[in-house]
Amino acid sequence: MEGLTLSEAEQRYYCDLFSYCDTESTKKVASNGRVLELFRAAQLPNDVVMQIMELCGATRLGYFGRSQFYIALKLVAVAQSGLPLRVESLNTVKDLPLPRFVVSKNEQESRHTALYSSDADNAASYSGVIPPPPGRIQVKKGSVSHDTVQQRTSADQQESTSPVVSPQQSPPTSPHTWRKHNRHPSGGNNERPLAGPGPFWAPFSEAQPGSSATSDPIWSGHSPPPHQENWVSFADTPPTSALLAMHPASVQDQTTVRTVASATTTNEIRRQSSSYDDPWKITDEQRQYYVNQFKTIQPDLNGFIPGSAAKEFFTKSKLPILELSHIWELSDFDKDGALTLDEFCAAFHLVVARKNGYDLPEKLPESLMPKLIDLEDSAVIPVISEAGEQTGEVGYASSPAEAPPSKSPSMPSLNQTWPELNQSSEQWETFSERSSSSQTLTQFDSNIAPADPDTAIVHPVPIRMTPSKIHMQEMELKRTGSDHANPTSPLLVKPPDLPEENKMSSSVKFTAGNTVNGYSSSDSYTSDPEQIGSTVTRQRSHSGTSPDSTAPPPPPPRPHQSHSRSSSLDMNRSFSVTPGQQQAGVVAYPPAVPPRPQPSQGPGPHMHRPVDAEGLIAHTSTSPQQIPEQPNFADFSQFEAFAASGVNKEEDDEIERHTEVLQVEKPSDSASSLRVAKADGRVEDKAPANVPTSAGKGTTPLAPPPKPIRRRLKSEDELRPEAEEHTQKTGVIAAVLASQPSIPRSVGKDKKAIQASIRRNKETNTVLARLNSELQQQLKDVLEERISLEVQLEQLRPFSHL
Amino acid sequence: MAVCIAVIAKENYPLYIRSVPTENELKFHYTVHTSLDVVDEKISAMGKALVDQRELYLGLLYPTEDYKVYGYVTNSKVKFVMVVDSSNTALRDNEIRSMFRKLHNSYTDIMCNPFYNPGDRIHSKAFDNMVTSMMMQVC
């Protein structure tokens, strides 16, 4: 835009005008409506106005920025001076008088500003602007104009609630807004000297939500009979009734306006009470009319109107097919190609609105949405461009014919989410069909893919959720002292990346081995310390077995595969709770681990352990609410298990022994009760003989993890690390003990440290066991995938020769 | 995120084509046009079998150094062609499939509109919005 030099007076004047037009107080964009009114007030021919708008760049931009507005004003001045409109004239013409706008406008402005100050500046200024169009023809500032202004005030009020004009309006659309403004005072009258509204019908722009919305209240609030006329005529032929105000034939002289103004005033007043409602609300009369029309096509009110019949019906409205198509898109809510009564009313309402010049909204207004039931409120409320309409929802409750008020609060989300739900449901359907089709592999891949990063995660950093100094300190010690501190660091980073991690992070994050992540977090619901302990245990174990378990977490104990499988059987049993939670390849894990029984409860005889383990397994189904998270954990653990697989086979036995020993060592600790219990259970499963069943073990199944398998797996997990520890069990313990002293505690704390380490070991065991079970599940899934792939291959074999 | 999405009618004329505006759109138009040959080739290759067994998703039609072209054909021989940028972090096959599925769903919604004559250009706003969501977000 070429530079514009303005004199001081001009600057001030333009600035005032801009702020006057800046109804939205954006300080940047002048409301197109106001601008157009202003230009009308300039008493310039329409084509000149268009030219000005093009020159100033508003056409290009679609809105009136400050610079465009100033340039436009300058061009108005140029035009009013009779000079040809040229871009150069902006700066070359000196001593140009200020652009003149209908003086009456200004007078009214000031007057109405005082009168209608309640409605904020918008209303007042707006009302000031509105009179000009009629004033253009005959400046008559009588009470009538007040009335009209009053009407406009209400319109303003409506407008103020909604964006007056979308900034994206391009000048060609200005006629729409102009029409809209014209409509306001007319309210059914056609006083507006419609210089050229007819031709402007052609460039229908549907992106006029704000303006159309704001004008709707006035329009809809207008006396119903005019509407009736509209509709009736609509059904037959293009109505010649003046109510279809947009036709040039509706031009009437001012007197008509004046005489009717008083009548309209009352209407306006009546309307004002309801004008605050949703501009797209269908009134009772309208609704009744729509229903009658529906019956002519489809006698059954609960039935559908097929698309073809609807097409014929709405084609009679003589709207362009493009617009009818858009109306259909908006109103056919369920996209079934047929219209229910509600959809039909919405479509009809939109057609009538369109015929009266209101621009179609981008999205279906909520008041027009068909009643939906059984839709949960979702947080998704798409931003509807017609903010005014949305704010008008407040009055929606008063809408008698449309959805019940109770629906209004939920309707927005309901109706808005309906398309998303539809689409999402479709996606799910497709997804399911995909799963059933030859795309299981891809599904599996997708499942695997996210897991791959997980597999890389070896030692997720445990974040202690429960404050436990001992554990914290121990863990830190372990971390620092562990050879796998480094491996853990990547894990520190990794866990947040995992989606499951996010969930797990809520509970506990583990620096434990891979397997621990899923398991431990699942268990962490009730026993964070345990997990932490297990983490520490694992670290300890890792440090103990540095060469072996460096990168991958201790693999599931191979020798105990039988157990795991049996445990997997248990898993199946317990996992039946969460059948459909996972897609292929995801293990549905039982709910969170129930609190372990106190270690003191530890079953004395080993023989009880298996039973206990079973019992523990039975306990697994305690927290169903944790099931949803379990699958995530499951995935994660599975992959971890993958990474961990094949490492610690040989350690199982040792682990068992160690577990037992450790269990013995670990004093009953409620925190580690779960772990202990698990370890106990597993120890029992694996090496019943080894464990010196001393009551002091306290490793009795304190609180068997909710997942029986997990428990077992955990024990396996724990066993694994403990097996590792076993080799240096003494050393480990010594290390633990050694670590203890570093912690400023009394002697008694050493014992606690030992207990904590035992706990951690147990936790590690459980985690590993869990990982193992998850791996088993994955293996099964992979096998299924393979089978499906083979089937596909068979199917495609006939094509192979092509 | 696709760079160009096109809907081709059965008679191999475009019903809808939209590209990321910053790029030379003509290049994408040409790419889509040439990819139709590959689509036809794949259809005919599988056409000997029952059409039912033919999968809708055709997969990668052909890659170039700059981008890859994916195809999808409906049972009514309406083709969806999608051009994605190779430099884009490799879009997973699943994602491409889901994008095509969304396209297909939107297309069926358009078909349900009685005011839409099959064979017309697609002017649906809903379809535009959906495609916009799938296009690369280029400033």
Side-chain angles (χ1 to χ4, degrees), chain B:
Chain B
M1 295 295 120
V3 177
C4 170
I5 292 177
V7 178
I8 314 293
K10 179 176 178 181
E11 293 81 9
N12 287 337
Y13 63 87
L15 295 177
Y16 180 91
I17 182 163
R18 189 148 137 219
S19 317
V20 166
T22 59
E23 299 281 344
N24 181 8
E25 302 194 12
L26 191 60
K27 175 180 77 174
F28 293 127
H29 291 211
Y30 174 73
T31 303
V32 169
H33 182 73
T34 55
S35 68
L36 292 179
D37 279 339
V38 185
V39 171
D40 282 342
E41 183 184 319
K42 285 196 183 257
I43 294 178
S44 63
M46 307 164 74
K48 296 213 177 102
L50 300 173
V51 178
D52 302 334
Q53 293 183 9
R54 179 161 60 79
E55 185 170 307
L56 303 181
Y57 176 68
L58 301 177
L60 181 68
L61 296 179
Y62 68 87
T64 68
E65 59 193 10
D66 291 334
Y67 47 80
K68 302 184 224 168
V69 184
Y70 292 89
Y72 182 100
V73 61
T74 68
N75 286 324
S76 57
K77 296 289 196 306
V78 172
K79 307 157 186 79
F80 300 123
V81 177
M82 184 187 308
V83 182
V84 299
D85 200 347
S86 287
S87 62
N88 196 358
T89 53
L91 281 176
R92 299 186 46 74
D93 197 54
N94 274 348
E95 294 171 17
I96 304 283
R97 283 177 192 268
S98 71
M99 287 161 80
F100 275 126
R101 203 163 300 281
K102 284 202 298 186
L103 270 174
H104 198 172
N105 290 336
S106 294
Y107 179 74
T108 53
D109 289 343
I110 291 175
M111 284 294 129
C112 288
N113 189 336
F115 297 101
Y116 173 77
N117 301 317
D120 290 351
R121 298 218 49 179
I122 294 176
H123 291 287
S124 156
K125 274 200 172 14
F127 193 80
D128 284 340
N129 294 338
M130 190 272 307
V131 169
T132 307
S133 70
M134 289 167 45
M135 303 279 283
M136 279 182 63
Q137 309 305 326
V138 183
C139 308

Side-chain angles (χ1 to χ4, degrees), chain A residues 135-271:
Chain A
R136 211 171 355 137
I137 299 175
Q138 230 180 24
V139 178
K140 181 183 169 185
K141 313 301 173 279
S143 62
V144 177
S145 49
H146 282 273
D147 293 335
T148 58
V149 172
Q150 222 177 7
Q151 301 168 6
R152 297 196 187 86
T153 304
S154 61
D156 269 341
Q157 289 166 351
Q158 291 304 315
E159 275 190 325
S160 57
T161 61
S162 67
V164 176
V165 169
S166 67
Q168 281 68 31
Q169 278 187 6
S170 56
T173 65
S174 60
H176 294 290
T177 58
W178 178 72
R179 259 203 311 272
K180 168 178 70 76
H181 296 308
N182 286 344
R183 253 180 276 119
H184 288 296
S186 65
N189 304 326
N190 301 313
E191 76 204 52
R192 298 236 171 227
L194 302 174
F200 292 124
W201 271 95
F204 267 149
S205 78
E206 300 171 342
Q208 301 274 346
S211 54
S212 59
T214 55
S215 54
D216 278 344
I218 304 295
W219 173 76
S220 59
H222 283 185
S223 53
H227 284 308
Q228 293 286 352
E229 293 179 43
N230 275 341
W231 307 334
V232 171
S233 57
F234 156 77
D236 304 330
T237 56
T240 55
S241 111
L243 289 172
L244 287 186
M246 291 309 112
H247 294 275
S250 59
V251 177
Q252 299 178 6
D253 55 5
Q254 293 283 338
T255 55
T256 312
V257 180
R258 305 294 178 244
T259 56
V260 183
S262 56
T264 57
T265 306
T266 55
N267 289 340
E268 293 295 342
I269 293 173
R270 234 185 300 124
R271 200 178 343 121

